[in-house]
């Protein structure tokens, strides 16, 4: 192995393979990439697709293993805006490393040129003013996974070795999302998302700590790695959570409840995105 090869991120070859596969299946450039987590099903079904490919037909991605995530990459339009939709994602709780979990996003951003990345997720509410099916825009995150997708050799043409993370969730996009929520008549909460690794939900002691000591408003099992990768590549990021369960409740949390409640937010989520998308590309 030459020194140069040794200095490449270990996913570099996979990103190149994926770029080739994306170029073949979904040619073209777009402004916006959307990672659809739970709650974006309604929006995803409304996208006018021009091409799509199943994750299982892409190299190095693996099928989306979680119920409720379709595992397809779609190129199309919503509200007239050209976009690429990552319908389903890999998670750290599958036992994969974070650079692997975000390899598809890297390849999509490089190949489609998307400058704006919207990341959605399901999250448990810690803020006592939140309700089930509320939408929360991420003002910031706390990476509680104790791992980072940028660990390993850095590729300078992807982004800097030590990227700033003080403004991962773009002020410009947050302002436009607030405007869109008002226009669409939707209440949009804002708060700090804590990204845990899962797959267990939080213990009661963890809930108390995360709320009172750490100061998080919601907790989930994704988004921070993808936001860090997108920010590393200089993209503008918007993060949106659906509050699917209230961790402050005495009731237990189940995956069924999370899936069920994420559906309750689908109509609002779709309306918000369809109002927001044209504003994003207008500038
Ligand atoms: N905790 C962690 N992740 C989650 C939750 C939760 O309560 N709800 C949905 N995703």
């Amino acid at each position: 192995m030459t020194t140069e090869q040794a200095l490449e991120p270990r996913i570099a070859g996979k990103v190149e393979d994926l770029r080739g596969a994306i170029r073949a299946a979904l040619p073209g450039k777009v402004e916006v990439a959307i990672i659809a987590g739970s709650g974006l099903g309604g929006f995803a079904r409304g996208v006018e697709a021009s091409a799509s490919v199943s994750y299982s037909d892409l190299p190095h991605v693996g099928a989306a293993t979680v119920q409720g995530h379709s595992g397809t990459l779609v190129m199309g339009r919503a509200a007239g805006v050209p976009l690429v939709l990552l319908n389903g994602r890999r998670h750290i709780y599958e036992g994969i490393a974070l650079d692997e979990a975000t390899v598809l996003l890297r390849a999509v951003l490089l190949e489609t040129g998307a400058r704006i990345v919207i990341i959605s997720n399901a999250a448990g509410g810690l803020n006592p003013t939140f309700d089930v099916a509320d939408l929360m825009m991420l003002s910031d995150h706390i990476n509680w996974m104790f791992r980072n997708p940028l660990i390993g050799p850095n590729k300078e043409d992807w982004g800097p070795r030590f990227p700033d993370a003080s403004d991962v969730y773009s002020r410009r996009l947050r302002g436009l999302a607030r405007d869109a929520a008002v226009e669409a008549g939707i209440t949009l909460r804002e708060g700090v998302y804590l990204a845990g690794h899962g797959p267990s939900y939080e213990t009661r002691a963890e809930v108390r700590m995360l709320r009172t000591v750490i100061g998080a408003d919601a907790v989930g099992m994704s988004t921070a790695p993808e936001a860090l990768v997108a920010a590393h590549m200089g993209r503008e990021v918007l993060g949106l959570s659906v509050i699917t369960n209230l961790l402050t409740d005495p009731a237990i949390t189940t995956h069924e409840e999370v899936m069920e409640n994420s559906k309750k937010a689908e109509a609002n989520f779709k309306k918000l995105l369809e109002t927001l998308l044209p504003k994003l590309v207008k500038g």
Side-chain angles (χ1 to χ4, degrees):
M1 191 186 274
T2 68
T3 315
E4 258 170 42
Q5 279 168 331
L7 291 174
E8 283 279 285
R10 60 183 184 165
I11 56 161
K14 293 183 179 180
V15 168
E16 281 315 304
D17 291 349
L18 268 166
R19 286 186 68 171
I22 293 166
R23 202 174 307 138
L26 314 168
K29 300 289 171 201
V30 294
E31 273 292 297
V32 182
I34 301 182
I35 303 175
S38 312
L40 268 198
F43 171 82
R45 285 190 296 277
V47 170
E48 293 164 49
S50 52
S52 76
V53 61
S54 167
Y55 288 178
S56 52
D57 292 330
L58 290 172
H60 314 304
V61 178
T65 55
V66 184
Q67 181 198 341
H69 294 279
S70 83
T72 43
L73 184 66
V74 178
M75 188 81 106
R77 277 175 184 266
V81 175
L83 54 82
V84 59
L85 180 73
L86 289 81
N87 207 350
R89 54 153 65 88
R90 307 291 309 269
H91 295 85
I92 190 175
Y93 58 67
E94 295 172 48
I96 56 171
L98 287 180
D99 57 348
E100 299 284 350
T102 48
V103 69
L104 177 62
L105 176 64
R106 279 237 193 250
V108 165
L109 296 184
L110 287 166
E111 194 52 38
T112 67
R115 307 284 328 153
I116 293 172
V117 183
I118 301 176
I119 310 177
S120 78
N121 62 60
L126 295 168
N127 184 321
T129 67
F130 288 178
D131 233 325
V132 164
D134 274 354
L135 298 182
M136 184 192 89
M137 173 162 72
L138 276 65
S139 54
D140 208 342
H141 76 224
I142 294 170
N143 180 3
W144 201 249
M145 294 177 171
F146 305 107
R147 263 165 266 185
N148 187 304
L150 310 180
I151 289 174
N154 188 56
K155 199 167 163 59
E156 283 294 321
D157 50 355
W158 288 355
R161 170 73 292 185
F162 299 108
D164 178 63
S166 66
D167 197 21
V168 169
Y169 300 93
S170 147
R171 273 171 206 280
R172 185 182 82 91
L173 298 191
R174 282 190 278 149
L176 293 174
R178 275 183 214 114
D179 295 347
V182 170
E183 197 176 311
I186 291 164
T187 303
L188 183 60
R189 312 281 191 177
E190 294 187 36
V192 172
Y193 172 91
L194 183 131
H197 48 65
S200 44
Y201 294 114
E202 291 65 36
T203 67
R204 301 214 186 264
E206 285 166 349
V207 168
R208 276 195 302 278
M209 174 194 69
L210 296 179
R211 180 64 194 154
T212 60
V213 183
I214 310 291
D217 293 291
V219 51
M221 304 177 192
S222 67
T223 301
E226 295 144 340
L228 290 170
V229 162
H232 180 235
M233 300 174 91
R235 313 302 157 116
E236 284 188 289
V237 178
L238 181 72
L240 295 167
S241 295
V242 182
I243 305 300
T244 52
N245 54 292
L246 303 177
L247 289 164
T248 43
D249 250 16
I252 65 160
T253 303
T254 65
H255 181 61
E256 290 67 34
E257 172 197 15
V258 166
M259 295 312 298
E260 193 55 39
N261 287 337
S262 72
K263 291 202 179 72
K264 295 183 187 161
E266 280 192 353
N268 273 348
F269 221 149
K270 182 170 193 281
K271 203 164 154 196
L272 177 67
L273 281 189
E274 289 177 353
T275 311
L276 174 62
L277 280 168
K279 295 183 191 298
L280 293 181
V281 293
K282 237 189 282 162

